[in-house]
Amino acid sequence: MENMNPEPATAAHRAAILAIILASYFMILLDNSVIFTALPSLQADLQLGTGELSWVQDAYTLVFGGLLLLGARAGDLLGRRRVFVFGLVVFSVASLLIGLAPSGWWAISGRAIQGIGAAIVAPASLSLLTASFPEGRERTRAVALYGATAGMGASLGLVIGGALAHWISWRAGFFVNVPIGAAMIALAPRFLPETGRARGRFDLFGALSATLGVGALVFGIINTADAGWASAATVTAVTAGIVLLVVFVLIERRAAQPIMQLRLFASRRRAGAYVARFLYLGAMIAFFFFTTQFLQEVLGFDPLQAGMGFLPMTAVNFAVAMGIPRLVNRMPGSIPLVAGILITLAGMFWLSRVGVDSSYLTDVAFPMVLIGAGQGLAFAPLTSFGIVGAPAADAGAASGLVNTFHQVGTCLGLGIAVAAAATVPAAGAAAAHLAAQVSAALTTGSVLLLLALAVTAALILPADLAARRVLIPLGAAPAPLAEAAR
């Protein structure tokens, strides 16, 4: 594929590209979390049961995660800017439909359509970013800001969702996407580079088996909260999910043009980054989902106060993330990554000790500061290692895998945390029971972070240090040597 537009020549042009990509990516990540602080208002307005309410989130993340690889492939074949704009149109229209939703199932269907748009925009945005910024300092800074956006989108979504639900309506959190999406749709053709169409086929069977496999697995895990692990529905769903994912891998091994290039896992750094991202995001979704409930149902915060309650994490996250580009230019990126996961783990474990008598300042805000600092350190290196060394022809596939493991980690992490919380027996007052459930869920999140730390230490750290030793004496390592060091 070749660029149809020339490489951007000015700093202002590159700044416009970065702004469009980050604003679009921020918008779709915002909807992963903007709903959390607004869930009680939405539930009351649309008269949803607990099970239906969970699908307001799960419909989005399941479709998002399940179709990401197909979305990445679409960008490679049809042109990344063209696909990016189409995804923004789908996402913006779906946001409008959710804001107008007269019923729960209308809202859930709209969230699924939103997931389709997000699955198109997310991989295209990262591919356009890597195509627009040359290797070196500029790309390092751009990728760092992209990674920071992932953390801040989740954090600020809680603040924005709580504020809008308190002052206006839960619907405003979706209406706000419409003018932002329209602005990005108008600006993208003017500034973003286009890639030409390429000959190829869509791996529809691979996409279908991946989406159904992840969906069945998540459904089975979530179903344990009500029916337990021994129920026929749980066993059937989990078994079907595992079988379908095995089928997916077999399809990808034999497909002439697979949506998931298995060769991308040959790099220890990339493979480690995908698995570590999966585990890290599984822990973070448990933190967001259950801490929001703790603030409102145990500490008595209203939606606005609950959203503002996340500001210590958000502020620290932003401050640390802004320093990452300078940091990774001075040391191997695996060092801040290990430090970030370790600091996040410390904050998560501290927060998991909450109880019905906990105070916000000492038991919630202080751990949040650690979690925010850890996020600020970890997200950018995780993103960078997910695309490091990927051939230009696989840029879309590598970007798709970064976002796929992000969203699938979110789906499965939430299911595992909900299942862990459901093991807490009901006893005493409702607030005390919920506090115990939150503690169990966040303890589970701590275990996921510990596993992410182990994966990073075993795969990413040694490979990154080895690559660093090859690159430093050579100044710029030839591709075969750089790849061997991975």
Side-chain angles (χ1 to χ4, degrees):
M1 292 182 293
E2 57 181 292
N3 279 350
M4 294 169 61
N5 290 350
E7 188 77 17
T10 67
H13 197 160
R14 287 191 292 270
I17 290 173
L18 187 60
I20 293 168
I21 290 173
L22 294 185
S24 302
Y25 187 51
F26 180 82
M27 180 178 68
I28 65 173
L29 288 177
L30 199 68
D31 270 26
N32 255 337
S33 57
V34 75
I35 195 68
F36 286 144
T37 43
L39 281 176
S41 302
L42 183 150
Q43 183 176 26
D45 187 17
L46 299 183
Q47 299 181 333
L48 298 179
T50 303
E52 292 172 316
L53 188 66
S54 68
W55 280 107
V56 173
Q57 177 64 14
D58 290 336
Y60 178 73
T61 53
L62 275 176
V63 175
F64 190 175
L67 295 182
L68 268 165
L69 293 174
L70 194 62
R73 180 64 174 159
D76 290 341
L77 294 181
L78 303 178
R80 290 168 189 157
R81 188 184 71 191
R82 185 179 296 110
V83 166
F84 178 80
V85 171
F86 177 72
L88 284 175
V89 171
V90 173
F91 188 90
S92 302
V93 171
S95 297
L96 178 63
L97 292 175
I98 298 167
L100 297 172
S103 67
W105 285 108
W106 180 302
I108 291 169
S109 300
R111 288 285 278 168
I113 298 171
Q114 254 194 337
I116 296 173
I120 297 170
V121 172
S125 65
L126 185 53
S127 298
L128 286 167
L129 185 145
T130 55
S132 302
F133 293 87
E135 286 271 11
R137 188 178 298 273
E138 283 192 80
R139 182 180 292 182
T140 297
R141 177 177 176 273
V143 171
L145 290 172
Y146 186 92
T149 300
M152 289 186 292
S155 304
L156 285 176
L158 295 160
V159 179
I160 295 170
L164 292 175
H166 181 79
W167 284 329
I168 306 175
S169 166
W170 66 265
R171 299 175 186 273
F174 296 99
F175 284 141
V176 75
N177 292 333
V178 179
I180 297 174
M184 297 305 104
I185 291 165
L187 291 172
R190 180 178 177 184
F191 292 101
L192 297 184
E194 179 59 291
T195 55
R197 293 173 180 264
R199 293 194 175 195
R201 291 178 295 178
F202 288 105
D203 180 14
L204 294 179
F205 288 109
L208 187 63
S209 60
T211 304
L212 292 178
V214 172
L217 199 56
V218 172
F219 174 81
I221 293 172
I222 292 176
N223 192 61
T224 63
D226 295 323
W229 285 100
S231 75
T234 298
V235 172
T236 301
V238 170
T239 302
I242 294 172
V243 170
L244 284 167
L245 291 176
V246 171
V247 169
F248 168 66
V249 173
L250 294 176
I251 290 173
E252 299 310 283
R253 289 183 63 184
R254 299 180 180 181
Q257 296 176 334
I259 59 169
M260 186 175 76
Q261 297 289 355
L262 296 179
R263 62 176 174 266
L264 289 171
F265 292 89
S267 163
R268 293 177 65 190
R269 287 190 291 179
R270 283 198 301 269
Y274 299 146
V275 177
R277 193 179 192 92
F278 172 89
L279 295 166
Y280 192 91
L281 267 296
M284 293 313 302
I285 193 65
F287 160 73
F288 289 126
F289 187 81
F290 285 95
T291 304
T292 301
Q293 294 183 60
F294 181 82
L295 291 175
Q296 295 188 60
E297 303 299 330
V298 179
L299 297 187
F301 286 20
D302 62 31
L304 175 60
Q305 291 171 327
M308 298 295 287
F310 284 89
L311 280 178
M313 181 193 68
T314 304
V316 173
N317 185 348
F318 181 79
V320 173
M322 290 302 97
I324 279 291
R326 292 189 297 273
L327 197 61
V328 298
N329 280 325
R330 297 176 181 176
M331 64 177 67
S334 54
I335 302 299
L337 175 57
V338 169
I341 297 175
L342 190 59
I343 293 170
T344 307
L345 172 60
M348 185 79 73
F349 184 74
W350 184 356
L351 186 60
S352 72
R353 303 302 93 194
V354 293
V356 70
D357 296 322
S358 295
S359 70
Y360 169 73
L361 182 63
T362 58
D363 299 310
V364 179
F366 287 167
M368 278 187 180
V369 169
L370 292 178
I371 292 172
Q375 273 194 323
L377 286 169
F379 264 118
L382 275 177
T383 302
S384 180
F385 285 128
I387 59 176
V388 66
D394 291 336
S399 303
L401 280 173
V402 168
N403 286 289
T404 294
F405 278 88
H406 187 115
Q407 295 304 323
V408 174
T410 297
C411 291
L412 289 177
L414 181 57
I416 292 168
V418 168
T423 63
V424 177
H433 180 231
L434 178 58
Q437 289 183 309
V438 171
S439 178
L442 297 182
T443 300
T444 301
S446 299
V447 173
L448 293 176
L449 287 172
L450 188 61
L451 293 174
L453 183 63
V455 169
T456 301
L459 295 179
I460 301 176
L461 180 62
D464 189 43
L465 295 179
R468 183 89 168 179
R469 285 194 294 271
V470 170
L471 291 172
I472 287 177
L474 294 178
L481 286 176
E483 189 61 37
R486 296 182 193 111

